[in-house]
PDB file of all heavy atoms in Angstrom:
ATOM      1  N   ALA I   1     114.422 110.367  98.434  1.00 89.00           N
ATOM      2  CA  ALA I   1     113.000 110.369  98.799  1.00 89.00           C
ATOM      3  C   ALA I   1     112.402 111.764  98.917  1.00 89.00           C
ATOM      4  O   ALA I   1     111.232 111.974  98.586  1.00 89.00           O
ATOM      5  CB  ALA I   1     112.808 109.610 100.118  1.00 89.00           C
ATOM      6  N   GLY I   2     113.177 112.733  99.409  1.00 81.00           N
ATOM      7  CA  GLY I   2     112.618 114.076  99.592  1.00 81.00           C
ATOM      8  C   GLY I   2     111.396 114.040 100.482  1.00 81.00           C
ATOM      9  O   GLY I   2     111.403 113.442 101.561  1.00 81.00           O
ATOM     10  N   SER I   3     110.303 114.648 100.021  1.00 76.00           N
ATOM     11  CA  SER I   3     109.070 114.704 100.825  1.00 76.00           C
ATOM     12  C   SER I   3     108.246 113.425 100.706  1.00 76.00           C
ATOM     13  O   SER I   3     107.214 113.294 101.370  1.00 76.00           O
ATOM     14  CB  SER I   3     108.214 115.890 100.378  1.00 76.00           C
ATOM     15  OG  SER I   3     107.791 115.722  99.036  1.00 76.00           O
ATOM     16  N   ALA I   4     108.663 112.496  99.849  1.00 75.00           N
ATOM     17  CA  ALA I   4     107.954 111.219  99.644  1.00 75.00           C
ATOM     18  C   ALA I   4     106.527 111.432  99.160  1.00 75.00           C
ATOM     19  O   ALA I   4     105.660 110.596  99.398  1.00 75.00           O
ATOM     20  CB  ALA I   4     107.976 110.374 100.927  1.00 75.00           C
ATOM     21  N   ALA I   5     106.274 112.522  98.440  1.00 80.00           N
ATOM     22  CA  ALA I   5     104.909 112.837  98.004  1.00 80.00           C
ATOM     23  C   ALA I   5     104.370 111.772  97.052  1.00 80.00           C
ATOM     24  O   ALA I   5     103.283 111.222  97.268  1.00 80.00           O
ATOM     25  CB  ALA I   5     104.880 114.211  97.338  1.00 80.00           C
ATOM     26  N   LYS I   6     105.125 111.471  95.980  1.00 85.00           N
ATOM     27  CA  LYS I   6     104.651 110.457  95.026  1.00 85.00           C
ATOM     28  C   LYS I   6     104.680 109.065  95.645  1.00 85.00           C
ATOM     29  O   LYS I   6     103.868 108.203  95.295  1.00 85.00           O
ATOM     30  CB  LYS I   6     105.530 110.469  93.775  1.00 85.00           C
ATOM     31  CG  LYS I   6     105.267 111.622  92.827  1.00 85.00           C
ATOM     32  CD  LYS I   6     106.210 111.619  91.658  1.00 85.00           C
ATOM     33  CE  LYS I   6     107.617 111.926  92.059  1.00 85.00           C
ATOM     34  NZ  LYS I   6     108.513 112.294  90.967  1.00 85.00           N
ATOM     35  N   THR I   7     105.612 108.861  96.590  1.00 89.00           N
ATOM     36  CA  THR I   7     105.780 107.538  97.162  1.00 89.00           C
ATOM     37  C   THR I   7     104.547 107.083  97.923  1.00 89.00           C
ATOM     38  O   THR I   7     104.306 105.884  98.049  1.00 89.00           O
ATOM     39  CB  THR I   7     106.983 107.544  98.124  1.00 89.00           C
ATOM     40  OG1 THR I   7     108.027 108.292  97.526  1.00 89.00           O
ATOM     41  CG2 THR I   7     107.464 106.142  98.386  1.00 89.00           C
ATOM     42  N   ARG I   8     103.769 108.024  98.424  1.00 92.00           N
ATOM     43  CA  ARG I   8     102.566 107.641  99.166  1.00 92.00           C
ATOM     44  C   ARG I   8     101.617 106.826  98.289  1.00 92.00           C
ATOM     45  O   ARG I   8     100.880 105.968  98.783  1.00 92.00           O
ATOM     46  CB  ARG I   8     101.878 108.882  99.729  1.00 92.00           C
ATOM     47  CG  ARG I   8     102.613 109.466 100.932  1.00 92.00           C
ATOM     48  CD  ARG I   8     102.043 110.839 101.309  1.00 92.00           C
ATOM     49  NE  ARG I   8     102.503 111.305 102.593  1.00 92.00           N
ATOM     50  CZ  ARG I   8     103.714 111.818 102.827  1.00 92.00           C
ATOM     51  NH1 ARG I   8     104.597 111.896 101.836  1.00 92.00           N
ATOM     52  NH2 ARG I   8     104.050 112.250 104.028  1.00 92.00           N
ATOM     53  N   LEU I   9     101.619 107.103  96.977  1.00 94.00           N
ATOM     54  CA  LEU I   9     100.816 106.297  96.060  1.00 94.00           C
ATOM     55  C   LEU I   9     101.300 104.843  96.079  1.00 94.00           C
ATOM     56  O   LEU I   9     100.501 103.906  96.145  1.00 94.00           O
ATOM     57  CB  LEU I   9     100.915 106.852  94.642  1.00 94.00           C
ATOM     58  CG  LEU I   9     100.357 108.255  94.398  1.00 94.00           C
ATOM     59  CD1 LEU I   9     100.777 108.760  93.022  1.00 94.00           C
ATOM     60  CD2 LEU I   9      98.836 108.248  94.517  1.00 94.00           C
ATOM     61  N   LEU I  10     102.622 104.666  96.018  1.00 95.00           N
ATOM     62  CA  LEU I  10     103.193 103.323  96.066  1.00 95.00           C
ATOM     63  C   LEU I  10     102.930 102.652  97.408  1.00 95.00           C
ATOM     64  O   LEU I  10     102.556 101.480  97.462  1.00 95.00           O
ATOM     65  CB  LEU I  10     104.701 103.394  95.840  1.00 95.00           C
ATOM     66  CG  LEU I  10     105.244 103.248  94.427  1.00 95.00           C
ATOM     67  CD1 LEU I  10     106.746 103.451  94.425  1.00 95.00           C
ATOM     68  CD2 LEU I  10     104.886 101.898  93.840  1.00 95.00           C
ATOM     69  N   LEU I  11     103.133 103.406  98.475  1.00 96.00           N
ATOM     70  CA  LEU I  11     102.933 102.841  99.807  1.00 96.00           C
ATOM     71  C   LEU I  11     101.494 102.381  99.992  1.00 96.00           C
ATOM     72  O   LEU I  11     101.235 101.309 100.548  1.00 96.00           O
ATOM     73  CB  LEU I  11     103.307 103.867 100.883  1.00 96.00           C
ATOM     74  CG  LEU I  11     104.791 104.236 100.972  1.00 96.00           C
ATOM     75  CD1 LEU I  11     104.999 105.390 101.939  1.00 96.00           C
ATOM     76  CD2 LEU I  11     105.619 103.029 101.408  1.00 96.00           C
ATOM     77  N   GLY I  12     100.543 103.196  99.515  1.00 94.00           N
ATOM     78  CA  GLY I  12      99.136 102.823  99.624  1.00 94.00           C
ATOM     79  C   GLY I  12      98.844 101.537  98.883  1.00 94.00           C
ATOM     80  O   GLY I  12      98.180 100.625  99.408  1.00 94.00           O
ATOM     81  N   ALA I  13      99.355 101.425  97.646  1.00 95.00           N
ATOM     82  CA  ALA I  13      99.096 100.225  96.850  1.00 95.00           C
ATOM     83  C   ALA I  13      99.807  99.004  97.431  1.00 95.00           C
ATOM     84  O   ALA I  13      99.240  97.909  97.484  1.00 95.00           O
ATOM     85  CB  ALA I  13      99.540 100.457  95.413  1.00 95.00           C
ATOM     86  N   LEU I  14     101.044  99.176  97.876  1.00 95.00           N
ATOM     87  CA  LEU I  14     101.807  98.045  98.388  1.00 95.00           C
ATOM     88  C   LEU I  14     101.269  97.555  99.730  1.00 95.00           C
ATOM     89  O   LEU I  14     101.305  96.355 100.017  1.00 95.00           O
ATOM     90  CB  LEU I  14     103.285  98.426  98.523  1.00 95.00           C
ATOM     91  CG  LEU I  14     104.049  98.583  97.201  1.00 95.00           C
ATOM     92  CD1 LEU I  14     105.375  99.290  97.418  1.00 95.00           C
ATOM     93  CD2 LEU I  14     104.284  97.227  96.542  1.00 95.00           C
ATOM     94  N   THR I  15     100.765  98.459 100.551  1.00 93.00           N
ATOM     95  CA  THR I  15     100.160  98.017 101.817  1.00 93.00           C
ATOM     96  C   THR I  15      98.799  97.377 101.574  1.00 93.00           C
ATOM     97  O   THR I  15      98.396  96.476 102.311  1.00 93.00           O
ATOM     98  CB  THR I  15     100.033  99.186 102.812  1.00 93.00           C
ATOM     99  OG1 THR I  15      99.363 100.285 102.184  1.00 93.00           O
ATOM    100  CG2 THR I  15     101.389  99.647 103.308  1.00 93.00           C
ATOM    101  N   THR I  16      98.090  97.818 100.548  1.00 89.00           N
ATOM    102  CA  THR I  16      96.821  97.176 100.186  1.00 89.00           C
ATOM    103  C   THR I  16      97.048  95.728  99.785  1.00 89.00           C
ATOM    104  O   THR I  16      96.220  94.846 100.053  1.00 89.00           O
ATOM    105  CB  THR I  16      96.141  97.936  99.029  1.00 89.00           C
ATOM    106  OG1 THR I  16      95.859  99.265  99.468  1.00 89.00           O
ATOM    107  CG2 THR I  16      94.843  97.260  98.603  1.00 89.00           C
ATOM    108  N   GLU I  17      98.189  95.471  99.141  1.00 80.00           N
ATOM    109  CA  GLU I  17      98.536  94.103  98.779  1.00 80.00           C
ATOM    110  C   GLU I  17      98.912  93.263 100.010  1.00 80.00           C
ATOM    111  O   GLU I  17      99.110  92.072  99.901  1.00 80.00           O
ATOM    112  CB  GLU I  17      99.711  94.111  97.794  1.00 80.00           C
ATOM    113  CG  GLU I  17      99.345  94.559  96.390  1.00 80.00           C
ATOM    114  CD  GLU I  17      98.475  93.553  95.673  1.00 80.00           C
ATOM    115  OE1 GLU I  17      98.758  92.339  95.729  1.00 80.00           O
ATOM    116  OE2 GLU I  17      97.488  94.001  95.047  1.00 80.00           O
ATOM    117  N   ALA I  18      99.025  93.949 101.169  1.00 72.00           N
ATOM    118  CA  ALA I  18      99.226  93.297 102.473  1.00 72.00           C
ATOM    119  C   ALA I  18     100.588  92.616 102.613  1.00 72.00           C
ATOM    120  O   ALA I  18     100.775  91.772 103.469  1.00 72.00           O
ATOM    121  CB  ALA I  18      98.109  92.286 102.759  1.00 72.00           C
ATOM    122  N   ARG I  19     101.537  92.981 101.782  1.00 90.00           N
ATOM    123  CA  ARG I  19     102.873  92.400 101.898  1.00 90.00           C
ATOM    124  C   ARG I  19     103.877  93.390 102.481  1.00 90.00           C
ATOM    125  O   ARG I  19     104.840  93.005 103.134  1.00 90.00           O
ATOM    126  CB  ARG I  19     103.367  91.917 100.535  1.00 90.00           C
ATOM    127  CG  ARG I  19     102.609  90.737  99.960  1.00 90.00           C
ATOM    128  CD  ARG I  19     103.258  90.250  98.682  1.00 90.00           C
ATOM    129  NE  ARG I  19     104.593  89.718  98.932  1.00 90.00           N
ATOM    130  CZ  ARG I  19     104.858  88.451  99.200  1.00 90.00           C
ATOM    131  NH1 ARG I  19     103.868  87.568  99.254  1.00 90.00           N
ATOM    132  NH2 ARG I  19     106.093  88.044  99.403  1.00 90.00           N
ATOM    133  N   LEU I  20     103.697  94.684 102.200  1.00 96.00           N
ATOM    134  CA  LEU I  20     104.713  95.660 102.579  1.00 96.00           C
ATOM    135  C   LEU I  20     104.813  95.781 104.097  1.00 96.00           C
ATOM    136  O   LEU I  20     103.818  96.017 104.781  1.00 96.00           O
ATOM    137  CB  LEU I  20     104.406  97.028 101.968  1.00 96.00           C
ATOM    138  CG  LEU I  20     105.564  98.033 102.061  1.00 96.00           C
ATOM    139  CD1 LEU I  20     106.691  97.631 101.116  1.00 96.00           C
ATOM    140  CD2 LEU I  20     105.095  99.440 101.737  1.00 96.00           C
ATOM    141  N   LYS I  21     106.036  95.659 104.600  1.00 96.00           N
ATOM    142  CA  LYS I  21     106.281  95.743 106.039  1.00 96.00           C
ATOM    143  C   LYS I  21     107.142  96.944 106.408  1.00 96.00           C
ATOM    144  O   LYS I  21     107.010  97.497 107.509  1.00 96.00           O
ATOM    145  CB  LYS I  21     106.966  94.466 106.536  1.00 96.00           C
ATOM    146  CG  LYS I  21     106.162  93.195 106.341  1.00 96.00           C
ATOM    147  CD  LYS I  21     106.962  91.989 106.838  1.00 96.00           C
ATOM    148  CE  LYS I  21     106.151  90.703 106.729  1.00 96.00           C
ATOM    149  NZ  LYS I  21     105.886  90.324 105.328  1.00 96.00           N
ATOM    150  N   THR I  22     108.037  97.349 105.482  1.00 96.00           N
ATOM    151  CA  THR I  22     109.034  98.366 105.830  1.00 96.00           C
ATOM    152  C   THR I  22     109.211  99.344 104.680  1.00 96.00           C
ATOM    153  O   THR I  22     109.242  98.942 103.514  1.00 96.00           O
ATOM    154  CB  THR I  22     110.394  97.715 106.147  1.00 96.00           C
ATOM    155  OG1 THR I  22     110.217  96.723 107.167  1.00 96.00           O
ATOM    156  CG2 THR I  22     111.409  98.744 106.623  1.00 96.00           C
ATOM    157  N   TYR I  23     109.358 100.621 105.027  1.00 96.00           N
ATOM    158  CA  TYR I  23     109.696 101.668 104.067  1.00 96.00           C
ATOM    159  C   TYR I  23     111.031 102.259 104.458  1.00 96.00           C
ATOM    160  O   TYR I  23     111.228 102.676 105.607  1.00 96.00           O
ATOM    161  CB  TYR I  23     108.611 102.747 104.053  1.00 96.00           C
ATOM    162  CG  TYR I  23     108.944 103.972 103.231  1.00 96.00           C
ATOM    163  CD1 TYR I  23     109.364 103.863 101.913  1.00 96.00           C
ATOM    164  CD2 TYR I  23     108.826 105.252 103.776  1.00 96.00           C
ATOM    165  CE1 TYR I  23     109.666 104.988 101.156  1.00 96.00           C
ATOM    166  CE2 TYR I  23     109.113 106.385 103.031  1.00 96.00           C
ATOM    167  CZ  TYR I  23     109.528 106.246 101.724  1.00 96.00           C
ATOM    168  OH  TYR I  23     109.833 107.362 100.970  1.00 96.00           O
ATOM    169  N   ILE I  24     111.971 102.295 103.499  1.00 96.00           N
ATOM    170  CA  ILE I  24     113.312 102.817 103.760  1.00 96.00           C
ATOM    171  C   ILE I  24     113.554 104.009 102.838  1.00 96.00           C
ATOM    172  O   ILE I  24     113.972 103.838 101.688  1.00 96.00           O
ATOM    173  CB  ILE I  24     114.386 101.734 103.545  1.00 96.00           C
ATOM    174  CG1 ILE I  24     114.128 100.535 104.449  1.00 96.00           C
ATOM    175  CG2 ILE I  24     115.788 102.300 103.790  1.00 96.00           C
ATOM    176  CD1 ILE I  24     115.046  99.343 104.198  1.00 96.00           C
ATOM    177  N   PRO I  25     113.270 105.223 103.297  1.00 95.00           N
ATOM    178  CA  PRO I  25     113.580 106.401 102.473  1.00 95.00           C
ATOM    179  C   PRO I  25     115.034 106.816 102.663  1.00 95.00           C
ATOM    180  O   PRO I  25     115.561 106.786 103.775  1.00 95.00           O
ATOM    181  CB  PRO I  25     112.630 107.466 103.026  1.00 95.00           C
ATOM    182  CG  PRO I  25     112.439 107.088 104.469  1.00 95.00           C
ATOM    183  CD  PRO I  25     112.568 105.587 104.538  1.00 95.00           C
ATOM    184  N   GLN I  26     115.676 107.205 101.560  1.00 95.00           N
ATOM    185  CA  GLN I  26     117.059 107.689 101.608  1.00 95.00           C
ATOM    186  C   GLN I  26     117.081 109.110 101.069  1.00 95.00           C
ATOM    187  O   GLN I  26     116.410 109.443 100.097  1.00 95.00           O
ATOM    188  CB  GLN I  26     117.957 106.773 100.758  1.00 95.00           C
ATOM    189  CG  GLN I  26     119.397 107.233 100.611  1.00 95.00           C
ATOM    190  CD  GLN I  26     119.598 108.264  99.500  1.00 95.00           C
ATOM    191  OE1 GLN I  26     118.830 108.308  98.538  1.00 95.00           O
ATOM    192  NE2 GLN I  26     120.597 109.123  99.665  1.00 95.00           N
ATOM    193  N   ASP I  27     117.863 109.970 101.709  1.00 92.00           N
ATOM    194  CA  ASP I  27     118.017 111.342 101.227  1.00 92.00           C
ATOM    195  C   ASP I  27     119.293 111.922 101.827  1.00 92.00           C
ATOM    196  O   ASP I  27     119.816 111.406 102.825  1.00 92.00           O
ATOM    197  CB  ASP I  27     116.806 112.199 101.618  1.00 92.00           C
ATOM    198  CG  ASP I  27     116.647 113.417 100.708  1.00 92.00           C
ATOM    199  OD1 ASP I  27     116.059 113.256  99.615  1.00 92.00           O
ATOM    200  OD2 ASP I  27     117.135 114.500 101.070  1.00 92.00           O
ATOM    201  N   VAL I  28     119.789 113.006 101.218  1.00 90.00           N
ATOM    202  CA  VAL I  28     120.997 113.660 101.760  1.00 90.00           C
ATOM    203  C   VAL I  28     120.664 114.608 102.900  1.00 90.00           C
ATOM    204  O   VAL I  28     121.542 114.973 103.679  1.00 90.00           O
ATOM    205  CB  VAL I  28     121.767 114.436 100.666  1.00 90.00           C
ATOM    206  CG1 VAL I  28     122.293 113.481  99.607  1.00 90.00           C
ATOM    207  CG2 VAL I  28     120.918 115.519 100.045  1.00 90.00           C
ATOM    208  N   SER I  29     119.407 115.035 102.991  1.00 88.00           N
ATOM    209  CA  SER I  29     119.010 116.022 103.988  1.00 88.00           C
ATOM    210  C   SER I  29     118.404 115.331 105.200  1.00 88.00           C
ATOM    211  O   SER I  29     117.314 114.749 105.121  1.00 88.00           O
ATOM    212  CB  SER I  29     117.999 117.008 103.398  1.00 88.00           C
ATOM    213  OG  SER I  29     117.422 117.802 104.419  1.00 88.00           O
TER     214      SER I  29
END
């Protein structure tokens, strides 16, 4: 995931669809 910069686009769209409940980022740091 790193800084999750691009992921915010996905999170915004998925929460707009009103289904997304949980975000699980994985990283080594």
